[in-house]
Amino acid sequence: MVMYLPEERPVLDLPYQMNHLANNYGYYPQDCKEPICRTQHSTNGRMSSAEAELTSLPVHVSLQDRELWDKFSGIGTEMLITKSGRRMFPSCKVTVTGLNPKVKYVVIMDMVPFDNRKYKWNKDCWEVNGSTDPHLPNRFFVHPDSPAPGEKWMQYPISFHKLKLTNNTLNSNGLVVLHSMHKYQPRLHIVQSPDPCNPHNPGGYLRFTFPEAAFVAVTAYQNQEITKLKIDNNPFAKGFRDNGLNRKRFRDKETQETQDSDGQDKRDLTPNEHAVGQSQKDEDVDVTVSSSVDCSRTLNFSDVASSVTPNPFISAFKNLSTTGGPSPQQTHSILSLSNRHLNSPREARPSSLHSLCAALPMAQSSCVQSSTADTNLSRLPSQISSPLNHHHHYSPASQTPGRSIIQLQSYFPTPPHPSRQCPDMELPLPLPPKLSRMQLPESVLRNLEMTPVYDYINPRPFTDILNRIHFRPLDSGPTGKGLQHPHHPEQFLRGSERELRPQIYPAVQEYIDQQFTLNSMLNSQTEHRSQMDYVSARPLTEYYCEQQTGK
DNA sequence: TCAACTACCACATTTGAAGTGA
DNA sequence: ATCACTTCAAATGTGGTAGTTG
């Protein structure tokens, strides 16, 4: 396994230098020398040299399962969308490095239109079928572990396997709404919390798109090759392997046919045998997780500070952390919304999450969504420790060295060694003897550490909140694609040929509503803490100070 | 008429509770 | 009483397919 790392050069002396691997993906900004206030280990706002070295690394995002993605994109990836929501396969899984281990980040994924075209399947290829339908409101999927310290995000690959796609615009249950027969590409957002002890540090914001993961949203698969690839690689679709001979309908039909002829019973494999066979097949395929660099970018507050158009995500953090309330701009947004959509007394309390949600057209009932308890902690250690058990195999994706290291390290609640702050992806460690075929959710792994670092943030309503908000495109053209950037020729190149560059400073107008959204999120956190009787609804600045100084 | 969509199906996997024995 | 482990059923995710819709 090859792990591409940022070039070991003094980044600080190479302003705007292109990363040699991501020739395309990243550049280093000026002013990286600017000390970033990380107050975890000190009280005077200065960080240790080790921290300085670590945090001066560019943020480095790598799409996992790259080879699988390449297989799909080589044919033309299709993703099924249903009314109730359908998971993506392959799912988006990324590794991130270069974050400050002690600073909290929110990790968000959404889908952006790949182009302005609508497609149709014509026999054996996709054809353009007119221009795009009216733009749909963005629906963000906030990773359920958000917010979490950088060390947590870097410890394991961040999986978005629970992200669901739908074509039902009325569905507000955290689904990403897409148009059928349109092409989209995943986009990752990393939002850094501000440094509460340094009001000049507004935090940072990066986003990365993955053109190699672009797909056409469909309600039924069009390309049979895609169907076959999905069946061959998705454990849930094992029942359709071997031309579906496992299935009852096929069995019945086959039985009837074989009775008519001398045919050998083609269904002579038990499900377990199929599983073993497939496992062997998977090993043959050797689906190695690609760690090729997708994107690399330094996340540095000075970067932001020098920006002409600071990102409103950051501003949202900054404003909230320094003032404890909405910015004038945000207030304006809130009031504008209130004037349009509110008649209830709640509008007089803009800091309330509920009032914010109530102000939104899509807001309906509960704005608070408990975090999904997708873990089974009592069961996992036994699965790991038992050498006998049993019929479980690993998915190809989980067989990668990097993945295995990360999983193993998480099994033992020992304090991480300092050298592990940046996981060494090269260390070969054996996989635990017993795990599910499906990927183990990283939330499970994280919880294994038994450190209640997230206690204060539960529940985590980010996804729900974001997805209840209709972004109003301010710069909509005739097609209404408000969040679409102008399309550059490079967008029509494929995979790594295309330039993948994080868009650090989008036009401020474009994100006025997103700023509003993020403020809502932050307000909601305060509100939830209050509800949990953990801390009262005090200013976020004070809260972060306490967290970072270990009070 | 037909492409796009929906609902339901059977199968595989995951999850979590209940049961068992040391 | 506790813990480790097994078993089992319900829940969930999957593509196939027949029927519906516009």
Side-chain angles (χ1 to χ4, degrees):
Chain A
M1 175 178 175
V2 178
M3 177 63 184
Y4 298 103
L5 294 173
E7 231 176 8
E8 290 187 8
R9 62 168 62 136
V11 173
L12 307 183
D13 297 330
L14 296 170
Y16 294 101
Q17 179 155 6
M18 300 293 290
N19 184 319
H20 71 299
L21 290 170
N23 49 356
N24 34 14
Y25 292 160
Y27 58 94
Y28 302 116
Q30 280 180 316
D31 292 329
C32 289
K33 289 178 183 174
E34 190 75 29
I36 305 171
C37 173
R38 314 291 185 203
T39 57
Q40 175 68 17
H41 302 299
S42 62
T43 55
N44 60 1
R46 296 185 64 84
M47 55 186 170
S48 67
S49 59
E51 262 191 312
E53 184 179 351
L54 184 61
T55 54
S56 65
L57 289 172
V59 174
H60 192 107
V61 173
S62 173
L63 181 67
Q64 300 285 280
D65 294 337
R66 188 64 169 271
E67 291 188 5
L68 187 59
W69 277 109
D70 286 344
K71 281 184 186 177
F72 277 92
S73 64
I75 301 173
T77 312
E78 299 173 22
M79 293 292 175
L80 213 57
I81 56 176
T82 65
K83 194 174 180 178
S84 58
R86 197 75 149 188
R87 287 186 178 183
M88 293 175 67
F89 186 85
S91 61
C92 289
K93 188 166 62 177
V94 299
T95 55
V96 179
T97 59
L99 301 176
N100 186 306
K102 304 302 178 187
V103 171
K104 288 183 169 58
Y105 299 87
V106 175
V107 178
I108 304 169
M109 179 159 281
D110 66 346
M111 301 294 158
V112 290
F114 190 87
D115 51 32
N116 283 321
R117 296 166 177 172
K118 185 177 182 179
Y119 293 85
K120 69 172 181 181
W121 179 255
N122 188 2
K123 295 180 181 177
D124 59 351
C125 64
W126 285 102
E127 292 181 347
V128 175
N129 184 27
S131 58
T132 182
D133 291 339
H135 182 61
L136 289 169
N138 263 26
R139 295 291 183 90
F140 289 97
F141 178 85
V142 180
H143 195 282
D145 288 342
S146 298
E151 61 184 347
K152 294 295 179 183
W153 294 121
M154 293 186 292
Q155 197 167 7
Y156 316 103
I158 306 170
S159 175
F160 289 89
H161 66 280
K162 289 195 173 180
L163 187 154
K164 283 186 173 182
L165 308 176
T166 184
N167 57 348
N168 182 9
T169 56
L170 301 178
N171 196 321
S172 60
N173 296 325
L175 309 180
V176 176
V177 184
L178 304 178
H179 274 310
S180 179
M181 298 298 174
H182 287 66
K183 195 169 186 179
Y184 295 90
Q185 56 188 340
R187 183 171 61 177
L188 179 75
H189 305 258
I190 300 176
V191 185
Q192 175 189 331
S193 68
D195 186 339
C197 300
N198 182 354
H200 300 294
N201 178 359
Y205 166 70
L206 291 176
R207 67 186 192 194
F208 307 88
T209 56
F210 301 100
E212 59 271 59
F215 60 89
V216 178
V218 296
T219 55
Y221 289 123
Q222 308 293 316
N223 188 346
Q224 292 185 352
E225 291 186 56
I226 286 293
T227 305
K228 186 175 184 304
L229 257 185
K230 297 232 178 186
I231 289 174
D232 287 344
N233 292 280
N234 192 334
F236 279 107
K238 277 198 171 128
F240 302 99
R241 289 176 187 170
D242 291 342
N243 294 323
L245 292 179
N246 285 344
R247 303 194 68 202
K248 185 174 184 297
R249 289 180 194 173
F250 287 94
R251 282 205 308 270
D252 295 343
K253 185 179 178 181
E254 192 70 25
T255 302
Q256 196 168 6
E257 288 178 356
T258 52
Q259 284 174 351
D260 293 342
S261 63
D262 61 344
Q264 178 186 352
D265 185 5
K266 292 181 181 177
R267 201 206 159 271
D268 51 3
L269 293 179
T270 66
N272 278 347
E273 287 168 329
H274 277 291
V276 170
Q278 183 57 36
S279 177
Q280 183 63 44
K281 183 178 172 183
D282 291 342
E283 289 176 7
D284 295 341
V285 172
D286 188 21
V287 182
T288 305
V289 170
S290 167
S291 293
S292 59
V293 176
D294 282 326
C295 204
S296 175
R297 185 68 168 87
T298 299
L299 190 62
N300 189 318
F301 85 90
S302 61
D303 206 11
V304 176
S306 63
S307 168
V308 177
T309 56
N311 190 287
F313 271 3
I314 302 166
S315 302
F317 271 116
K318 179 183 178 182
N319 293 330
L320 206 84
S321 66
T322 55
T323 68
S327 67
Q329 188 179 18
Q330 179 210 359
T331 302
H332 174 74
S333 297
I334 293 170
L335 293 178
S336 298
L337 278 169
S338 300
N339 289 339
R340 285 197 305 266
H341 303 291
L342 273 186
N343 292 314
S344 75
R346 284 178 175 179
E347 62 191 276
R349 196 168 60 95
S351 62
S352 161
L353 168 67
H354 292 285
S355 64
L356 289 175
C357 289
L360 301 167
M362 284 296 291
Q364 292 165 2
S365 56
S366 66
C367 298
V368 178
Q369 176 181 325
S370 298
S371 63
T372 54
D374 57 352
T375 62
N376 185 0
L377 301 182
S378 62
R379 158 198 200 95
L380 198 65
S382 65
Q383 287 184 333
I384 294 164
S385 60
S386 170
L388 300 176
N389 201 10
H390 37 129
H391 51 274
H392 290 261
H393 302 267
Y394 302 105
S395 67
S398 66
Q399 291 176 341
T400 64
R403 178 83 178 156
S404 64
I405 296 164
I406 290 164
Q407 286 174 340
L408 278 177
Q409 287 171 341
S410 69
Y411 297 150
F412 306 101
T414 54
H417 189 275
S419 65
R420 283 194 52 240
Q421 285 189 331
C422 282
D424 184 356
M425 306 297 278
E426 300 287 350
L427 288 176
L429 289 177
L431 287 164
K434 178 182 174 183
L435 270 180
S436 159
R437 287 178 197 166
M438 298 295 288
Q439 297 176 98
L440 204 58
E442 72 280 4
S443 56
V444 174
L445 300 171
R446 290 175 183 173
N447 279 316
L448 280 173
E449 295 188 327
M450 295 184 288
T451 53
V453 291
Y454 302 118
D455 287 353
Y456 63 89
I457 59 169
N458 286 321
R460 307 181 185 92
F462 284 175
T463 299
D464 194 49
I465 295 167
L466 278 175
N467 290 333
R468 286 171 192 280
I469 295 171
H470 271 199
F471 285 171
R472 292 169 293 110
L474 300 177
D475 53 347
S476 297
T479 59
K481 293 169 67 62
L483 296 181
Q484 272 286 93
H485 287 283
H487 294 290
H488 305 293
E490 69 207 31
Q491 276 189 289
F492 298 93
L493 300 174
R494 280 186 46 211
S496 58
E497 298 169 352
R498 297 183 53 226
E499 182 172 4
L500 180 59
R501 183 173 299 162
Q503 296 159 325
I504 309 298
Y505 312 124
V508 66
Q509 250 198 335
E510 178 182 336
Y511 283 104
I512 286 177
D513 285 343
Q514 293 183 4
Q515 174 182 355
F516 167 70
T517 300
L518 195 64
N519 278 294
S520 302
M521 291 161 55
L522 293 168
N523 284 329
S524 76
Q525 292 303 292
T526 303
E527 183 160 323
H528 291 313
R529 285 196 298 272
S530 176
Q531 288 172 350
M532 294 176 63
D533 199 27
Y534 181 82
V535 290
S536 59
R538 58 193 171 192
L540 199 64
T541 303
E542 180 186 348
Y543 174 73
Y544 274 118
C545 276
E546 288 186 10
Q547 289 297 312
Q548 295 191 353
T549 54
K551 274 187 183 177

